[in-house]
Amino acid sequence: MSEINTFRPLLAQWNFTYECNLECKHCYSRDAAQSKEMTTEQAFKCVDILKDSGILLMNLGGGEPLLRSDVFEVGKYAHSKGINVALSTNGSLFTEIVVKNIVSSKISVVEISIDSAIPEEHDEFRRCKGLHQKAIHAIELAKSNGLEVHIATVITRHNHNNIEEMFKLARNINVTNVDLHEFVDTANSGLDLTPSEWKKFYEELESLYNKYDDIKINYNDPLVGLVQGKKEGRLYTGCMCGKLSLCIRPNGDLTPCVFQYIVAGNIFEDDLIHVWYNSEYFKQMRNHVITNECTECSSSEVCGYGGCPSRSLLSSNDVNAPDPHCWIAENIRNTNICKRND
């Protein structure tokens, strides 16, 4: 089967704006907040290009997308073109009017960030007192207006030991989807876990799936496969970036992943499908060449031959390097060091 038939873009993660009303500890978008953003007219053109390229799902994120007043127009326009639209937000700007606008724009899913079930911890992490309460209020408003609501949680050092509390919270407020997002440390924040801590987290998470079978726990970190093992019927292994999804920056720049600093093209200056199939950066995401410790690993297939390319790129400037979160790579590395020292 050819690559063109195997992988095609289905999901666009669109960072609609880098402007934000918060200064969250883990955020990667603040450094780019002054970059030029597309106009409303250009945003409509962007939607047309996505439609013509076969995109089925578009997520409007940021930054905080609700800071752009045209987000509802663009969402409604995308829906009219047959694209399912989701919105990722911190929940701080929700009012009855905002929610009515979301509904009328035909945005189908709202993902609201909550990083801890403990209000004070969430507020401290997001650097905004009272934000947890606002996020809960946003969820209640969205649900009462018939929207599908997901809780989004970024796994970091501050919450990895209390993840079950997030599922309890979701159950208590009748939210049936929790999206756990992998942490990619773009700024040496000190929020990352060690490989052994990640392993322990994945094992705990795996044990919670059946206990909270009334909640759909969505977690696509490539290294989860090292705990779950190989599963039949998956569309892909490892990271979905460059295989099924792409990222659009506020100015139209195209990257395989929101965390990658390498730009493969621009949606207004380059043909999107040409970039998808011919850019070296996108091809590298689909065609990993395992290196170093990964060459000695018998489980590399289930993590996509190296885990998260963006984490590898940020830690070693090489998308083919072992994922810095991988405990197997760490064990092989330590074993080899001991052998050399003997």
Side-chain angles (χ1 to χ4, degrees):
M1 184 178 289
S2 70
E3 181 184 275
I4 289 181
N5 289 328
T6 305
F7 296 123
R8 67 186 185 92
L10 300 177
L11 165 65
Q13 173 62 49
W14 186 350
N15 283 342
F16 199 56
T17 179
Y18 279 142
E19 295 298 324
C20 192
N21 56 334
L22 302 180
E23 293 186 359
C24 305
K25 289 183 177 181
H26 69 297
C27 186
Y28 63 87
S29 68
R30 285 195 301 273
D31 293 339
Q34 301 304 316
S35 64
K36 183 179 179 181
E37 298 187 358
M38 64 183 77
T39 65
T40 302
E41 183 179 355
Q42 288 175 318
F44 287 154
K45 182 180 179 182
C46 182
V47 170
D48 290 336
I49 294 171
L50 294 177
K51 171 61 178 177
D52 293 342
S53 301
I55 292 294
L56 301 177
L57 175 63
M58 182 177 88
N59 183 69
L60 296 171
E64 174 50 56
L66 291 176
L67 287 174
R68 277 192 60 151
S69 60
D70 59 355
V71 65
F72 308 118
E73 296 175 69
V74 175
K76 189 171 185 177
Y77 183 71
H79 178 268
S80 75
K81 294 292 182 177
I83 299 175
N84 290 318
V85 184
L87 179 77
S88 295
T89 172
N90 60 43
S92 65
L93 302 176
F94 271 54
T95 64
E96 287 283 359
I97 294 175
V98 167
V99 174
K100 296 294 184 185
N101 285 335
I102 293 174
V103 172
S104 64
S105 70
K106 306 299 182 182
I107 291 172
S108 58
V109 176
V110 175
E111 185 186 58
I112 297 173
S113 296
I114 299 182
D115 296 295
S116 174
I118 302 171
E120 294 78 11
E121 287 187 359
H122 176 72
D123 293 355
E124 195 271 336
F125 182 70
R126 295 272 169 173
R127 294 183 172 133
C128 181
K129 188 175 181 180
L131 184 63
H132 190 277
Q133 183 179 354
K134 289 181 179 179
I136 297 295
H137 179 62
I139 290 171
E140 293 170 345
L141 279 178
K143 284 180 59 65
S144 66
N145 281 272
L147 289 166
E148 180 181 330
V149 178
H150 294 210
I151 289 175
T153 302
V154 180
I155 305 304
T156 63
R157 177 159 299 285
H158 92 289
N159 64 3
H160 74 285
N161 283 323
N162 301 306
I163 195 61
E164 185 173 4
E165 298 306 311
M166 286 302 307
F167 303 146
K168 291 179 181 178
L169 173 64
R171 182 178 279 171
N172 288 339
I173 59 178
N174 297 313
V175 172
T176 56
N177 283 271
V178 176
D179 301 337
L180 302 179
H181 293 294
E182 61 193 86
F183 179 62
V184 178
D185 196 351
T186 60
N188 296 316
S189 64
L191 295 170
D192 209 350
L193 280 62
T194 65
S196 59
E197 287 173 328
W198 280 112
K199 179 177 185 287
K200 182 180 178 181
F201 169 77
Y202 297 137
E203 290 172 340
E204 179 187 2
L205 179 63
E206 189 69 13
S207 72
L208 293 174
Y209 279 110
N210 290 334
K211 185 176 181 180
Y212 293 90
D213 58 359
D214 55 324
I215 298 172
K216 185 177 181 181
I217 302 170
N218 306 301
Y219 195 45
N220 295 317
D221 192 294
L223 296 187
V224 171
L226 298 177
V227 172
Q228 296 176 337
K230 187 175 181 180
K231 290 189 176 182
E232 300 299 327
R234 282 179 171 167
L235 292 176
Y236 63 93
T237 58
C239 176
M240 70 185 296
C241 297
K243 297 176 181 176
L244 298 176
S245 68
L246 56 86
C247 172
I248 307 167
R249 292 180 175 176
N251 66 348
D253 283 345
L254 298 168
T255 66
C257 169
V258 296
F259 298 111
Q260 289 200 9
Y261 53 82
I262 299 174
V263 176
N266 186 281
I267 199 165
F268 302 119
E269 299 171 4
D270 305 287
D271 181 81
L272 187 151
I273 293 299
H274 180 81
V275 170
W276 176 269
Y277 287 117
N278 295 284
S279 163
E280 289 302 315
Y281 305 124
F282 276 89
K283 288 197 288 186
Q284 285 179 348
M285 300 293 284
R286 295 187 286 269
N287 302 296
H288 267 201
V289 178
I290 59 174
T291 63
N292 302 320
E293 292 80 18
C294 294
T295 63
E296 303 178 49
C297 178
S298 61
S299 302
S300 60
E301 182 181 357
V302 296
C303 73
Y305 303 102
C308 173
S310 293
R311 287 196 294 253
S312 298
L313 181 67
L314 288 165
S315 66
S316 61
N317 203 35
D318 180 4
V319 295
N320 292 314
D323 189 327
H325 285 185
C326 181
W327 55 93
I328 296 178
E330 182 185 55
N331 289 339
I332 292 173
R333 189 179 306 118
N334 290 338
T335 299
N336 289 340
I337 290 173
C338 289
K339 288 180 179 178
R340 287 196 297 268
N341 291 335
D342 286 344

